[in-house]
Amino acid sequence: MDILETLGIGKKNQGASTGTRWHRTTDNGVLEVTSPIDGRHLAAVYLASEQDYRDCTAAAREAFRSWRLMPAPKRGEIVRQIGEALRARKQALGTLVSLEMGKSLQEGLGEVQEMIDICDFAVGQSRQLYGLTMASERPEHRLYEQYHPLGVVGIVSAFNFPVAVWAWNAMLAAVCGDTCLWKPSSKTPLTAIAVQHILAGVVAANGLPEGLFNLVIGRGGTIGELLLHDRDVPLVSFTGSTRAGRRVAETVAGRLGRTILELGGNNAIIVTPHANLKLAVPAIVFSAVGTAGQRCTTTRRLIVHQSIAGRVTEDLLKAYGTLRIGSPLDERNHVGPLIDRRAVATYLEALQALRSQGGSVLCGGRVLDGPGCESGCYVEPVVATAENDYPIVQQETFAPILYIIEYSGPVNNAIALHNDVPQGLSSSIFTDNLQEAEIFLSAAGSDCGIANVNIGTSGAEIGGAFGGEKETGGGRESGSDAWKGYMRRQTNTINYGTALPLAQGIRFEL
């Protein structure tokens, strides 16, 4: 295929690289990559070995020794060039994202644009790695803090955003003076290989050391475990399920390492009687069915006041009736496939559990197998009625299933339902009532890391810090001051006088 050739993807591809150099392991297993769009075979990837991993981490450690000494704005210039290289390949890389992951072409292109945007953000950030100067209680002393590069940053990304989340981490880590080791999802390795080829051009053109950007594609039980236990990787940024994230947190904490965890979401939109439904309904539909429900910020619960529940449900069912399901490469379609047949099985199991727990499916629920849906990965988006305490509602199902949950009384009752799940990533309220909006955003309101008013739960901008609370994991990526997570903070005191006064008025005389 022309797209694959343009991005340097062959029929068979190596699974480990330190920059411009690719390892040659071929006897550790092979990933056969197929597209969820139509089931066609795209390419094969040789899995990395333990030795490949150790070679990449050694290269990353060695590159860090010189990279950390390069002035941060100079590091920012390298990131600027990476952004320009991504701009030149946006169409091809965005198309590959769609082919390999199954999201719509517009979303694939949008994901690459997100990479470009975070490069731009990081370039500016490279001149703003600010510390603070504090007033010392001792005369003729200066007290201040500064930030230093941390080391090798391990990045474990998920299939649903196969390249953007890597960029959130890697571009900020790069301007902070860190080197990176990337373990992508085994479901979407080709996009990672394509990005590594793009990076290689920038690395070679600038004479940068091998090991600045490293790629290791392998099994979680081998490569993943090596990464989690590696004391030479002081920070692991992990995106994935809460179950896997708990394992990451426990293992890395056991060696006193750091983690940034972006785990499950069970996101809700509250719709009050004061909502503008012309705004709310389209936002709910996109947040619930975008990326076929496979975003960590997908809306899974709709908490709507009982006085308007009938109207909202009717409007939603009409909107769902207009959704076009099919190839995401056809821009007329709204909903593409799930990532694989295992995801389809999870979708069906969730609907069976819903019915057994007392819920009702109002629309959707079928697996499609007609023309254009031969891969077996296409499903109908679901609108269902449920109660917030159903076990299946308390879980995150990575599929387009929207549970309608009614509430009565003031908005505080809706917020109580909203917060009564283990996860805490993204949230939203639709209301034109200022008091309701402010309560939702207050300390007594949403307990999520992201809280929105009159927009949906998905589609975060890169300028804000991204992440959640509770079982969503904690830590922040992308914008605001998330850069501090990739550095080590140091407090410094300088005595420029001739005496040696002690803090807290302590006296010590010899």
Side-chain angles (χ1 to χ4, degrees):
M1 299 171 63
D2 291 343
I3 292 295
L4 298 180
E5 293 177 3
T6 298
L7 294 169
I9 307 295
K11 292 182 179 180
K12 296 183 178 181
N13 303 270
Q14 298 301 138
S17 171
T18 56
T20 61
R21 184 171 62 85
W22 291 82
H23 293 210
R24 297 184 178 181
T25 299
T26 59
D27 59 355
N28 203 48
V30 179
L31 281 177
E32 300 291 348
V33 184
T34 60
S35 173
I37 296 175
D38 53 13
R40 62 178 152 165
H41 184 267
L42 296 176
V45 180
Y46 292 114
L47 293 174
S49 66
E50 290 190 22
Q51 188 57 51
D52 290 332
Y53 172 86
R54 299 189 193 286
D55 290 345
C56 285
T57 53
R61 292 195 303 272
E62 182 60 30
F64 175 66
R65 294 169 62 86
S66 58
W67 182 246
R68 63 184 175 178
L69 300 178
M70 181 182 288
K74 298 295 184 182
R75 299 192 295 255
E77 167 58 18
I78 300 302
V79 170
R80 185 195 68 78
Q81 292 180 35
I82 292 172
E84 291 302 310
L86 289 168
R87 281 184 173 89
R89 295 164 179 80
K90 177 180 175 179
Q91 186 70 36
L93 184 57
T95 302
L96 178 57
V97 169
S98 184
L99 276 172
E100 188 176 35
M101 187 267 150
K103 64 174 58 177
S104 74
L105 179 57
Q106 281 300 308
E107 289 186 81
L109 295 172
E111 181 164 352
V112 180
Q113 185 60 49
E114 196 164 357
M115 300 174 76
I116 295 166
D117 292 344
I118 199 65
C119 286
D120 290 348
F121 181 92
V123 172
Q125 190 68 71
S126 70
R127 294 180 180 271
Q128 301 177 82
L129 304 179
Y130 298 137
L132 294 173
T133 298
M134 288 78 72
S136 174
E137 65 182 74
R138 290 171 283 187
E140 298 183 310
H141 280 61
R142 183 160 69 91
L143 180 64
Y144 73 101
E145 67 179 17
Q146 59 183 331
Y147 289 84
H148 293 304
L150 182 62
V152 181
V153 174
I155 303 169
V156 182
S157 59
F159 75 86
N160 59 331
F161 280 84
V163 289
V165 172
W166 167 83
W168 287 0
N169 288 274
M171 296 302 97
L172 286 180
V175 299
C176 288
D178 302 326
T179 57
C180 297
L181 181 73
W182 182 14
K183 182 190 177 301
S185 168
S186 295
K187 296 182 180 182
T188 51
L190 300 185
T191 47
I193 292 171
V195 170
Q196 191 72 3
H197 285 309
I198 293 170
L199 294 171
V202 177
V203 168
N206 289 274
L208 298 173
E210 290 289 323
L212 181 55
F213 298 106
N214 302 272
L215 175 67
V216 186
I217 299 169
R219 298 183 181 91
T222 53
I223 301 303
E225 285 299 307
L226 287 169
L227 175 60
L228 298 187
H229 287 91
D230 194 342
R231 294 182 180 274
D232 289 322
V233 181
L235 170 65
V236 175
S237 177
F238 175 85
T239 302
S241 69
T242 297
R243 178 186 58 80
R246 186 172 286 110
R247 166 70 177 162
V248 172
E250 292 172 351
T251 305
V252 177
R255 59 176 175 85
L256 299 183
R258 299 190 201 173
T259 54
I260 297 172
L261 302 174
E262 202 282 280
L263 310 177
N266 197 347
N267 316 293
I269 293 177
I270 295 172
V271 182
T272 83
H274 303 287
N276 180 342
L277 296 186
K278 289 183 179 179
L279 282 180
V281 171
I284 294 165
V285 175
F286 174 76
S287 293
V289 308
T291 323
Q294 298 173 114
R295 292 187 177 209
C296 50
T297 54
T298 291
T299 299
R300 311 204 180 279
R301 297 176 297 138
L302 181 64
I303 302 171
V304 57
H305 195 274
Q306 63 181 15
S307 66
I308 57 170
R311 179 183 170 188
V312 171
T313 301
E314 182 180 352
D315 289 349
L316 281 174
L317 293 177
K318 287 180 181 178
Y320 270 61
T322 67
L323 292 174
R324 291 186 295 273
I325 305 169
S327 170
L329 298 176
D330 184 342
E331 296 190 48
R332 295 172 297 179
N333 292 328
H334 300 103
V335 183
L338 295 178
I339 186 64
D340 54 27
R341 294 193 179 192
R342 182 178 177 183
V344 173
T346 299
Y347 161 89
L348 293 173
E349 290 165 4
L351 295 180
Q352 182 179 2
L354 171 70
R355 293 185 178 101
S356 69
Q357 292 164 22
S360 299
V361 173
L362 302 181
C363 74
R366 294 187 304 144
V367 180
L368 304 179
D369 58 4
C373 300
E374 293 87 354
S375 69
C377 297
Y378 292 83
V379 301
E380 290 179 328
V382 169
V383 175
T385 60
E387 297 296 333
N388 200 64
D389 60 357
Y390 289 174
I392 190 60
V393 176
Q394 291 285 308
Q395 302 170 18
E396 178 191 43
T397 301
F398 231 50
I401 301 174
L402 178 66
Y403 304 114
I404 297 180
I405 300 162
E406 295 187 20
Y407 81 96
S408 60
V411 73
N412 305 73
N413 294 343
I415 292 171
L417 287 171
H418 172 280
N419 291 349
D420 191 22
V421 292
Q423 309 85 359
L425 179 53
S426 188
S427 59
S428 177
I429 188 171
F430 276 83
T431 180
D432 285 342
N433 181 292
L434 179 61
Q435 186 178 38
E436 288 181 333
E438 290 295 339
I439 291 173
F440 182 72
L441 299 178
S442 75
S446 167
D447 63 0
C448 293
I450 300 168
N452 301 325
V453 176
N454 292 334
I455 63 170
T457 59
S458 65
E461 297 182 32
I462 61 97
F466 184 89
E469 303 298 330
K470 302 190 292 187
E471 288 191 1
T472 298
R476 294 297 185 267
E477 300 168 315
S478 195
S480 185
D481 66 347
W483 63 272
K484 293 179 179 179
Y486 305 90
M487 306 198 82
R488 58 181 178 89
R489 182 186 300 208
Q490 185 179 80
T491 301
N492 308 111
T493 307
I494 299 173
N495 179 0
Y496 57 89
T498 58
L500 191 65
L502 299 177
Q504 293 85 47
I506 295 172
R507 297 182 65 181
F508 182 79
E509 298 178 358
L510 293 176

mmCIF file with all atom_site columns, all heavy atoms in Angstrom, residues 370-388:
data_model
loop_
_atom_site.group_PDB
_atom_site.id
_atom_site.type_symbol
_atom_site.label_atom_id
_atom_site.label_alt_id
_atom_site.label_comp_id
_atom_site.label_asym_id
_atom_site.label_entity_id
_atom_site.label_seq_id
_atom_site.pdbx_PDB_ins_code
_atom_site.Cartn_x
_atom_site.Cartn_y
_atom_site.Cartn_z
_atom_site.occupancy
_atom_site.B_iso_or_equiv
_atom_site.pdbx_formal_charge
_atom_site.auth_seq_id
_atom_site.auth_comp_id
_atom_site.auth_asym_id
_atom_site.auth_atom_id
_atom_site.pdbx_PDB_model_num
ATOM 1   N N   . GLY A 1 370 ? -22.925 -7.046 7.431  1.00 0.00 ? 370 GLY A N   1
ATOM 2   C CA  . GLY A 1 370 ? -23.300 -6.820 6.044  1.00 0.00 ? 370 GLY A CA  1
ATOM 3   C C   . GLY A 1 370 ? -22.164 -6.260 5.226  1.00 0.00 ? 370 GLY A C   1
ATOM 4   O O   . GLY A 1 370 ? -21.006 -6.226 5.668  1.00 0.00 ? 370 GLY A O   1
ATOM 5   N N   . PRO A 1 371 ? -22.461 -5.806 4.015  1.00 0.00 ? 371 PRO A N   1
ATOM 6   C CA  . PRO A 1 371 ? -21.429 -5.230 3.141  1.00 0.00 ? 371 PRO A CA  1
ATOM 7   C C   . PRO A 1 371 ? -20.701 -4.076 3.832  1.00 0.00 ? 371 PRO A C   1
ATOM 8   O O   . PRO A 1 371 ? -21.319 -3.183 4.409  1.00 0.00 ? 371 PRO A O   1
ATOM 9   C CB  . PRO A 1 371 ? -22.236 -4.733 1.934  1.00 0.00 ? 371 PRO A CB  1
ATOM 10  C CG  . PRO A 1 371 ? -23.454 -5.595 1.916  1.00 0.00 ? 371 PRO A CG  1
ATOM 11  C CD  . PRO A 1 371 ? -23.779 -5.864 3.356  1.00 0.00 ? 371 PRO A CD  1
ATOM 12  N N   . GLY A 1 372 ? -19.376 -4.119 3.773  1.00 0.00 ? 372 GLY A N   1
ATOM 13  C CA  . GLY A 1 372 ? -18.558 -3.102 4.408  1.00 0.00 ? 372 GLY A CA  1
ATOM 14  C C   . GLY A 1 372 ? -18.250 -3.377 5.865  1.00 0.00 ? 372 GLY A C   1
ATOM 15  O O   . GLY A 1 372 ? -17.464 -2.663 6.479  1.00 0.00 ? 372 GLY A O   1
ATOM 16  N N   . CYS A 1 373 ? -18.864 -4.404 6.427  1.00 0.00 ? 373 CYS A N   1
ATOM 17  C CA  . CYS A 1 373 ? -18.653 -4.733 7.848  1.00 0.00 ? 373 CYS A CA  1
ATOM 18  C C   . CYS A 1 373 ? -18.156 -6.166 8.008  1.00 0.00 ? 373 CYS A C   1
ATOM 19  O O   . CYS A 1 373 ? -18.390 -6.812 9.035  1.00 0.00 ? 373 CYS A O   1
ATOM 20  C CB  . CYS A 1 373 ? -19.947 -4.540 8.637  1.00 0.00 ? 373 CYS A CB  1
ATOM 21  S SG  . CYS A 1 373 ? -20.609 -2.851 8.609  1.00 0.00 ? 373 CYS A SG  1
ATOM 22  N N   . GLU A 1 374 ? -17.454 -6.663 7.005  1.00 0.00 ? 374 GLU A N   1
ATOM 23  C CA  . GLU A 1 374 ? -17.058 -8.070 6.995  1.00 0.00 ? 374 GLU A CA  1
ATOM 24  C C   . GLU A 1 374 ? -16.019 -8.423 8.058  1.00 0.00 ? 374 GLU A C   1
ATOM 25  O O   . GLU A 1 374 ? -15.822 -9.603 8.364  1.00 0.00 ? 374 GLU A O   1
ATOM 26  C CB  . GLU A 1 374 ? -16.511 -8.445 5.614  1.00 0.00 ? 374 GLU A CB  1
ATOM 27  C CG  . GLU A 1 374 ? -17.536 -8.421 4.494  1.00 0.00 ? 374 GLU A CG  1
ATOM 28  C CD  . GLU A 1 374 ? -17.682 -7.047 3.848  1.00 0.00 ? 374 GLU A CD  1
ATOM 29  O OE1 . GLU A 1 374 ? -17.058 -6.089 4.369  1.00 0.00 ? 374 GLU A OE1 1
ATOM 30  O OE2 . GLU A 1 374 ? -18.401 -6.937 2.843  1.00 0.00 ? 374 GLU A OE2 1
ATOM 31  N N   . SER A 1 375 ? -15.354 -7.437 8.633  1.00 0.00 ? 375 SER A N   1
ATOM 32  C CA  . SER A 1 375 ? -14.310 -7.746 9.621  1.00 0.00 ? 375 SER A CA  1
ATOM 33  C C   . SER A 1 375 ? -14.876 -8.311 10.909 1.00 0.00 ? 375 SER A C   1
ATOM 34  O O   . SER A 1 375 ? -14.143 -8.879 11.721 1.00 0.00 ? 375 SER A O   1
ATOM 35  C CB  . SER A 1 375 ? -13.495 -6.492 9.936  1.00 0.00 ? 375 SER A CB  1
ATOM 36  O OG  . SER A 1 375 ? -14.274 -5.543 10.644 1.00 0.00 ? 375 SER A OG  1
ATOM 37  N N   . GLY A 1 376 ? -16.184 -8.144 11.126 1.00 0.00 ? 376 GLY A N   1
ATOM 38  C CA  . GLY A 1 376 ? -16.798 -8.609 12.361 1.00 0.00 ? 376 GLY A CA  1
ATOM 39  C C   . GLY A 1 376 ? -16.566 -7.703 13.547 1.00 0.00 ? 376 GLY A C   1
ATOM 40  O O   . GLY A 1 376 ? -16.839 -8.091 14.690 1.00 0.00 ? 376 GLY A O   1
ATOM 41  N N   . CYS A 1 377 ? -16.086 -6.496 13.304 1.00 0.00 ? 377 CYS A N   1
ATOM 42  C CA  . CYS A 1 377 ? -15.749 -5.568 14.381 1.00 0.00 ? 377 CYS A CA  1
ATOM 43  C C   . CYS A 1 377 ? -16.703 -4.381 14.493 1.00 0.00 ? 377 CYS A C   1
ATOM 44  O O   . CYS A 1 377 ? -16.478 -3.477 15.301 1.00 0.00 ? 377 CYS A O   1
ATOM 45  C CB  . CYS A 1 377 ? -14.323 -5.054 14.205 1.00 0.00 ? 377 CYS A CB  1
ATOM 46  S SG  . CYS A 1 377 ? -13.060 -6.334 14.298 1.00 0.00 ? 377 CYS A SG  1
ATOM 47  N N   . TYR A 1 378 ? -17.755 -4.385 13.690 1.00 0.00 ? 378 TYR A N   1
ATOM 48  C CA  . TYR A 1 378 ? -18.704 -3.267 13.701 1.00 0.00 ? 378 TYR A CA  1
ATOM 49  C C   . TYR A 1 378 ? -19.905 -3.601 14.574 1.00 0.00 ? 378 TYR A C   1
ATOM 50  O O   . TYR A 1 378 ? -20.491 -4.683 14.459 1.00 0.00 ? 378 TYR A O   1
ATOM 51  C CB  . TYR A 1 378 ? -19.175 -2.951 12.281 1.00 0.00 ? 378 TYR A CB  1
ATOM 52  C CG  . TYR A 1 378 ? -18.104 -2.391 11.384 1.00 0.00 ? 378 TYR A CG  1
ATOM 53  C CD1 . TYR A 1 378 ? -17.214 -3.240 10.718 1.00 0.00 ? 378 TYR A CD1 1
ATOM 54  C CD2 . TYR A 1 378 ? -17.962 -1.027 11.194 1.00 0.00 ? 378 TYR A CD2 1
ATOM 55  C CE1 . TYR A 1 378 ? -16.223 -2.735 9.888  1.00 0.00 ? 378 TYR A CE1 1
ATOM 56  C CE2 . TYR A 1 378 ? -16.974 -0.505 10.365 1.00 0.00 ? 378 TYR A CE2 1
ATOM 57  C CZ  . TYR A 1 378 ? -16.111 -1.371 9.711  1.00 0.00 ? 378 TYR A CZ  1
ATOM 58  O OH  . TYR A 1 378 ? -15.132 -0.869 8.900  1.00 0.00 ? 378 TYR A OH  1
ATOM 59  N N   . VAL A 1 379 ? -20.280 -2.658 15.448 1.00 0.00 ? 379 VAL A N   1
ATOM 60  C CA  . VAL A 1 379 ? -21.435 -2.852 16.319 1.00 0.00 ? 379 VAL A CA  1
ATOM 61  C C   . VAL A 1 379 ? -22.311 -1.605 16.285 1.00 0.00 ? 379 VAL A C   1
ATOM 62  O O   . VAL A 1 379 ? -21.841 -0.506 15.956 1.00 0.00 ? 379 VAL A O   1
ATOM 63  C CB  . VAL A 1 379 ? -21.011 -3.141 17.773 1.00 0.00 ? 379 VAL A CB  1
ATOM 64  C CG1 . VAL A 1 379 ? -20.145 -4.394 17.835 1.00 0.00 ? 379 VAL A CG1 1
ATOM 65  C CG2 . VAL A 1 379 ? -20.277 -1.952 18.400 1.00 0.00 ? 379 VAL A CG2 1
ATOM 66  N N   . GLU A 1 380 ? -23.561 -1.792 16.660 1.00 0.00 ? 380 GLU A N   1
ATOM 67  C CA  . GLU A 1 380 ? -24.469 -0.657 16.744 1.00 0.00 ? 380 GLU A CA  1
ATOM 68  C C   . GLU A 1 380 ? -24.294 0.058  18.077 1.00 0.00 ? 380 GLU A C   1
ATOM 69  O O   . GLU A 1 380 ? -24.295 -0.584 19.134 1.00 0.00 ? 380 GLU A O   1
ATOM 70  C CB  . GLU A 1 380 ? -25.919 -1.135 16.637 1.00 0.00 ? 380 GLU A CB  1
ATOM 71  C CG  . GLU A 1 380 ? -26.326 -1.638 15.283 1.00 0.00 ? 380 GLU A CG  1
ATOM 72  C CD  . GLU A 1 380 ? -27.762 -2.113 15.269 1.00 0.00 ? 380 GLU A CD  1
ATOM 73  O OE1 . GLU A 1 380 ? -28.247 -2.612 16.313 1.00 0.00 ? 380 GLU A OE1 1
ATOM 74  O OE2 . GLU A 1 380 ? -28.417 -1.999 14.211 1.00 0.00 ? 380 GLU A OE2 1
ATOM 75  N N   . PRO A 1 381 ? -24.143 1.365  18.071 1.00 0.00 ? 381 PRO A N   1
ATOM 76  C CA  . PRO A 1 381 ? -24.121 2.103  19.337 1.00 0.00 ? 381 PRO A CA  1
ATOM 77  C C   . PRO A 1 381 ? -25.429 1.905  20.098 1.00 0.00 ? 381 PRO A C   1
ATOM 78  O O   . PRO A 1 381 ? -26.510 1.806  19.503 1.00 0.00 ? 381 PRO A O   1
ATOM 79  C CB  . PRO A 1 381 ? -23.949 3.554  18.892 1.00 0.00 ? 381 PRO A CB  1
ATOM 80  C CG  . PRO A 1 381 ? -23.268 3.468  17.559 1.00 0.00 ? 381 PRO A CG  1
ATOM 81  C CD  . PRO A 1 381 ? -23.855 2.244  16.921 1.00 0.00 ? 381 PRO A CD  1
ATOM 82  N N   . VAL A 1 382 ? -25.308 1.860  21.415 1.00 0.00 ? 382 VAL A N   1
ATOM 83  C CA  . VAL A 1 382 ? -26.432 1.508  22.281 1.00 0.00 ? 382 VAL A CA  1
ATOM 84  C C   . VAL A 1 382 ? -26.830 2.690  23.148 1.00 0.00 ? 382 VAL A C   1
ATOM 85  O O   . VAL A 1 382 ? -25.979 3.378  23.713 1.00 0.00 ? 382 VAL A O   1
ATOM 86  C CB  . VAL A 1 382 ? -26.062 0.305  23.176 1.00 0.00 ? 382 VAL A CB  1
ATOM 87  C CG1 . VAL A 1 382 ? -27.103 0.077  24.262 1.00 0.00 ? 382 VAL A CG1 1
ATOM 88  C CG2 . VAL A 1 382 ? -25.893 -0.952 22.333 1.00 0.00 ? 382 VAL A CG2 1
ATOM 89  N N   . VAL A 1 383 ? -28.147 2.896  23.262 1.00 0.00 ? 383 VAL A N   1
ATOM 90  C CA  . VAL A 1 383 ? -28.722 3.740  24.303 1.00 0.00 ? 383 VAL A CA  1
ATOM 91  C C   . VAL A 1 383 ? -29.536 2.819  25.196 1.00 0.00 ? 383 VAL A C   1
ATOM 92  O O   . VAL A 1 383 ? -30.355 2.033  24.709 1.00 0.00 ? 383 VAL A O   1
ATOM 93  C CB  . VAL A 1 383 ? -29.616 4.853  23.723 1.00 0.00 ? 383 VAL A CB  1
ATOM 94  C CG1 . VAL A 1 383 ? -30.285 5.638  24.851 1.00 0.00 ? 383 VAL A CG1 1
ATOM 95  C CG2 . VAL A 1 383 ? -28.815 5.787  22.833 1.00 0.00 ? 383 VAL A CG2 1
ATOM 96  N N   . ALA A 1 384 ? -29.305 2.899  26.500 1.00 0.00 ? 384 ALA A N   1
ATOM 97  C CA  . ALA A 1 384 ? -29.971 1.993  27.431 1.00 0.00 ? 384 ALA A CA  1
ATOM 98  C C   . ALA A 1 384 ? -30.402 2.747  28.677 1.00 0.00 ? 384 ALA A C   1
ATOM 99  O O   . ALA A 1 384 ? -29.863 3.810  29.001 1.00 0.00 ? 384 ALA A O   1
ATOM 100 C CB  . ALA A 1 384 ? -29.040 0.848  27.812 1.00 0.00 ? 384 ALA A CB  1
ATOM 101 N N   . THR A 1 385 ? -31.390 2.205  29.378 1.00 0.00 ? 385 THR A N   1
ATOM 102 C CA  . THR A 1 385 ? -31.755 2.726  30.687 1.00 0.00 ? 385 THR A CA  1
ATOM 103 C C   . THR A 1 385 ? -31.093 1.873  31.755 1.00 0.00 ? 385 THR A C   1
ATOM 104 O O   . THR A 1 385 ? -30.924 0.660  31.585 1.00 0.00 ? 385 THR A O   1
ATOM 105 C CB  . THR A 1 385 ? -33.277 2.715  30.884 1.00 0.00 ? 385 THR A CB  1
ATOM 106 O OG1 . THR A 1 385 ? -33.768 1.372  30.770 1.00 0.00 ? 385 THR A OG1 1
ATOM 107 C CG2 . THR A 1 385 ? -33.960 3.590  29.842 1.00 0.00 ? 385 THR A CG2 1
ATOM 108 N N   . ALA A 1 386 ? -30.708 2.499  32.855 1.00 0.00 ? 386 ALA A N   1
ATOM 109 C CA  . ALA A 1 386 ? -29.988 1.775  33.904 1.00 0.00 ? 386 ALA A CA  1
ATOM 110 C C   . ALA A 1 386 ? -30.069 2.559  35.203 1.00 0.00 ? 386 ALA A C   1
ATOM 111 O O   . ALA A 1 386 ? -30.537 3.700  35.239 1.00 0.00 ? 386 ALA A O   1
ATOM 112 C CB  . ALA A 1 386 ? -28.532 1.573  33.492 1.00 0.00 ? 386 ALA A CB  1
ATOM 113 N N   . GLU A 1 387 ? -29.599 1.921  36.251 1.00 0.00 ? 387 GLU A N   1
ATOM 114 C CA  . GLU A 1 387 ? -29.407 2.576  37.540 1.00 0.00 ? 387 GLU A CA  1
ATOM 115 C C   . GLU A 1 387 ? -27.909 2.690  37.795 1.00 0.00 ? 387 GLU A C   1
ATOM 116 O O   . GLU A 1 387 ? -27.126 1.817  37.401 1.00 0.00 ? 387 GLU A O   1
ATOM 117 C CB  . GLU A 1 387 ? -30.075 1.791  38.666 1.00 0.00 ? 387 GLU A CB  1
ATOM 118 C CG  . GLU A 1 387 ? -31.589 1.691  38.530 1.00 0.00 ? 387 GLU A CG  1
ATOM 119 C CD  . GLU A 1 387 ? -32.300 3.034  38.629 1.00 0.00 ? 387 GLU A CD  1
ATOM 120 O OE1 . GLU A 1 387 ? -31.739 3.949  39.287 1.00 0.00 ? 387 GLU A OE1 1
ATOM 121 O OE2 . GLU A 1 387 ? -33.389 3.183  38.050 1.00 0.00 ? 387 GLU A OE2 1
ATOM 122 N N   . ASN A 1 388 ? -27.517 3.747  38.465 1.00 0.00 ? 388 ASN A N   1
ATOM 123 C CA  . ASN A 1 388 ? -26.097 4.006  38.651 1.00 0.00 ? 388 ASN A CA  1
ATOM 124 C C   . ASN A 1 388 ? -25.391 2.919  39.446 1.00 0.00 ? 388 ASN A C   1
ATOM 125 O O   . ASN A 1 388 ? -24.184 2.704  39.284 1.00 0.00 ? 388 ASN A O   1
ATOM 126 C CB  . ASN A 1 388 ? -25.898 5.354  39.354 1.00 0.00 ? 388 ASN A CB  1
ATOM 127 C CG  . ASN A 1 388 ? -24.500 5.919  39.149 1.00 0.00 ? 388 ASN A CG  1
ATOM 128 O OD1 . ASN A 1 388 ? -24.121 6.225  38.027 1.00 0.00 ? 388 ASN A OD1 1
ATOM 129 N ND2 . ASN A 1 388 ? -23.749 6.052  40.229 1.00 0.00 ? 388 ASN A ND2 1
#
